[in-house]
Amino acid sequence: MTSTSTPEGLTRFNGLEESAARAALLDACAATAWVDRLLAARPYATVEDLYAAGDAAMGELTAADLAEAMAGHPPIGRPKPGDPTSAREQRGMAGASEELRAEMLELNLAYQDRFGHVFLICATGRTGEQMRDALRERLGNPPEREREIVRAELGKINRIRLARIAGPVEEDRTQEV
């Protein structure tokens, strides 16, 4: 494969029926406005074009759209049962002590009380302690600042998930996120 050819996974995504492509994108981000924007721009010539469309759509999300996107994410430390994406992304909490789990639950509840939504962080590659420390730090943010951090974190998560959608077919089941 040359560098100018379209990756196999992106070709597969471009060729999906709209309902299947919608389902794949909703797995990446629960905001229907984001999904609609990405669907409308298909087909993508390169993975970078897909990322750029995802980033642009993220920048255009309203507060209601962000709330819809956040509703698709479980609290840190409590991945959705039976959801391999959620479990993989929150792997840093997998071996956490009961003490750390209890602290994360308490901090998550305080965060939800303060901001009205789940604490959202790109958990990929972070330890439970790093996520706890970030949550502690962000609890002190003003709501406006926190909304922008959430938008940035959601953008990181979406890029990782788009990479899985558009990545090489042989990596779909094994690629670590």
Side-chain angles (χ1 to χ4, degrees):
M1 182 165 75
T2 67
S3 62
T4 58
S5 66
T6 303
E8 188 177 353
L10 183 59
T11 299
R12 183 188 67 237
F13 172 71
N14 283 333
L16 289 175
E17 293 289 330
E18 184 168 336
S19 62
R22 178 175 295 282
L25 290 172
L26 281 170
D27 279 346
C29 180
T32 54
W34 183 86
V35 170
D36 290 345
R37 286 181 180 100
L38 268 69
L39 284 175
R42 280 194 319 159
Y44 294 96
T46 67
V47 174
E48 283 304 318
D49 291 342
L50 177 62
Y51 292 159
D55 292 347
M58 180 57 53
E60 296 171 8
L61 293 184
T62 66
D65 297 331
L66 282 173
E68 183 181 28
M70 287 183 287
H73 289 268
I76 296 293
R78 294 183 296 173
K80 291 178 190 172
D83 180 357
T85 299
S86 179
R88 181 180 53 253
E89 290 174 350
Q90 292 196 30
R91 185 182 333 233
M93 287 296 295
S97 68
E98 286 305 313
E99 180 181 354
L100 180 56
R101 287 180 184 281
E103 186 177 6
M104 284 298 288
L105 176 60
E106 183 180 316
L107 289 167
N108 271 310
L109 291 172
Y111 183 94
Q112 284 182 297
D113 285 346
R114 174 154 167 71
F115 297 109
H117 56 79
V118 298
F119 170 69
L120 189 71
I121 188 168
C122 183
T124 300
R126 293 182 187 249
T127 66
E129 290 80 5
Q130 289 171 324
M131 289 183 269
R132 178 205 54 214
D133 294 347
L135 193 132
R136 281 181 183 161
E137 179 181 319
R138 287 174 49 191
L139 266 169
N141 285 337
E144 304 77 29
R145 169 87 174 115
E146 189 57 23
R147 261 192 305 279
E148 291 313 306
I149 292 172
V150 165
R151 185 184 299 272
E153 292 296 312
L154 188 59
K156 292 175 194 175
I157 294 165
N158 289 356
R159 269 187 169 243
I160 290 168
R161 291 178 175 184
L162 286 173
R164 289 186 61 78
I165 289 170
V169 173
E170 61 273 6
E171 291 183 16
D172 281 353
R173 291 181 188 89
T174 60
Q175 178 181 344
E176 295 300 317
V177 174

